[in-house]
Amino acid sequence: MRVALESTVITHGLPFPQNVETAFALEKIVIDHGGSPVTIGIMDGQIKIGLTVDEIRRMAKEKHVYKAGVRELPIMIAQKACASTTVSATARLAHLNGISVFATGGIGGVHPGRWDVSQDLFELTRTSIVIVSAGPKAILDLPGTYEMLESLGVTVLGYQTDEMPAFYSRSSGIAIPRANNPEEIAGILAASRSLGLTNAVLVFNPIPLEHALLFEEVESWNTLSQLDLVQSGVSGKEVTPFLLSRMAVHSNGRTVISNRRLLENNAALASEIALAIEKTTK
Ligand code: PSU
Ligand code: MN
């Protein structure tokens, strides 16, 4: 059973060398669960449904890999470019290739302030796949992102929680439906498909308690990072990578460690869900 993993977290989400270490650690977790990890990306215009070890290393080290969302995929292919794929692009490519489960860190969403809403949210309305994340990224407008998911009709579940987790921390105060085990999630995907729904099943898996950061502390680093953003003049798709790198600076690297731990936790749950889906479709 295959589990999709994304590559933008490697190229734009984590610093080198933690990014390569994390990419391989995630693949190992899937293998240890009896699955096949499929890290998705684009090399010289070729869609890679499973980057090789060397390709992952190359992506992680290169400075100017393009960050491709679903709308940039056609450009990357036609121009024979090298690109990492975001949640939107990875979900689409995984689904096209018959993969039912995808693990990431945090989904994109609604940014605070001026209009900036991730392609991720819209892609989730047209890709029937289970996506495991630790919540919308902490640098986002959490209530706004939650409301947008509702407006778009995306099925949202908390894994063994009644609250939407907040990426580096476990709670946001926003109530969501709960799922208690991988079999239940497999059943929800099957029901979604039997209804002819095209949307994703978005599973929010809270970061393990021992690696969680205090919400108040995260908020204080976020306030500083958002000020840095205004001063930097950074815009467009560079916003999220910029904010994540500022969070790492203000937290003295603590957000990088938490990000890795939540990614590992998500890869493990995604593997269990993939196994449950395989059992029910046999
Ligand atoms: N999860 C992480 N770190 C990341 C991302 C996810 O832990 O960097 C990436 C994903 O690829 C996601 C992207 O799709 O951040 C969101 O970018 P934007 O806000 O520009 O859509
Ligand atoms: Mn954006």
Side-chain angles (χ1 to χ4, degrees):
M1 100 290 177
R2 291 177 299 165
V3 174
L5 301 166
E6 61 136 321
S7 46
T8 294
V9 64
I10 307 172
T11 57
H12 292 74
L14 295 168
F16 183 84
Q18 286 98 325
N19 60 350
V20 217
E21 291 163 14
T22 307
F24 294 139
L26 299 182
E27 294 215 332
K28 183 169 187 304
I29 287 167
V30 175
I31 293 166
D32 289 347
H33 280 78
S36 313
V38 178
T39 303
I40 293 176
I42 301 187
M43 300 299 289
D44 307 312
Q46 302 266 342
I47 296 169
K48 298 286 176 181
I49 302 301
L51 291 160
T52 63
V53 167
D54 284 343
E55 287 167 340
I56 290 176
R57 274 210 192 98
R58 185 176 146 196
M59 275 228 176
K61 276 194 186 147
E62 264 179 36
K63 282 259 177 313
H64 299 290
V65 180
Y66 198 90
K67 170 188 168 191
V70 71
R71 73 171 179 159
E72 287 98 9
L73 283 178
I75 307 173
M76 298 300 106
I77 293 162
Q79 294 182 346
K80 303 197 176 7
C82 285
S84 62
T85 51
T86 66
V87 167
S88 69
T90 308
R92 172 60 63 101
L93 294 176
H95 182 62
L96 271 176
N97 285 280
I99 300 174
S100 300
V101 187
F102 162 31
T104 183
I107 58 156
V110 178
H111 285 264
R114 69 203 170 104
W115 176 268
D116 181 352
V117 181
S118 176
Q119 288 177 67
D120 290 355
L121 298 186
F122 299 90
E123 187 54 33
L124 297 183
T125 67
R126 50 193 184 217
T127 310
S128 174
I129 190 168
V130 173
I131 303 183
V132 181
S133 78
K137 282 194 271 286
I139 49 161
L140 297 168
D141 168 359
L142 297 178
T145 301
Y146 173 73
E147 290 297 334
M148 192 76 186
L149 286 166
E150 181 188 344
S151 303
L152 292 170
V154 177
T155 299
V156 168
L157 296 169
Y159 189 67
Q160 297 178 349
T161 179
D162 302 297
E163 251 187 277
M164 184 173 81
F167 198 55
Y168 307 120
S169 40
R170 290 172 61 89
S171 65
S172 65
I174 298 169
I176 53 172
R178 178 190 187 107
N180 286 314
N181 53 59
E183 291 70 30
E184 225 176 288
I185 296 165
I188 291 166
L189 179 70
S192 174
R193 288 179 173 174
S194 74
L195 291 168
L197 299 180
T198 60
N199 62 269
V201 173
L202 190 53
V203 177
F204 287 138
N205 186 29
I207 182 171
L209 194 58
E210 60 274 29
H211 306 300
L213 302 174
L214 272 181
F215 188 78
E216 292 71 23
E217 228 174 348
V218 174
E219 265 312 290
S220 71
W221 303 326
N222 187 26
T223 303
L224 295 172
S225 301
Q226 301 286 349
L227 281 172
D228 295 340
L229 176 67
V230 173
Q231 276 164 12
S232 70
V234 163
S235 65
K237 64 198 187 70
E238 298 314 318
V239 167
T240 295
F242 178 85
L243 287 171
L244 291 176
S245 69
R246 295 313 297 164
M247 291 293 279
V249 170
H250 292 304
S251 68
N252 236 323
R254 289 176 65 198
T255 55
V256 174
I257 297 167
S258 285
N259 203 340
R260 173 168 175 170
R261 297 296 168 233
L262 65 86
L263 279 158
E264 291 168 350
N265 191 44
N266 294 342
L269 177 58
S271 307
E272 291 168 14
I273 296 169
L275 205 63
I277 292 172
E278 195 178 66
K279 273 189 198 143
T280 50
T281 49
K282 258 192 190 147

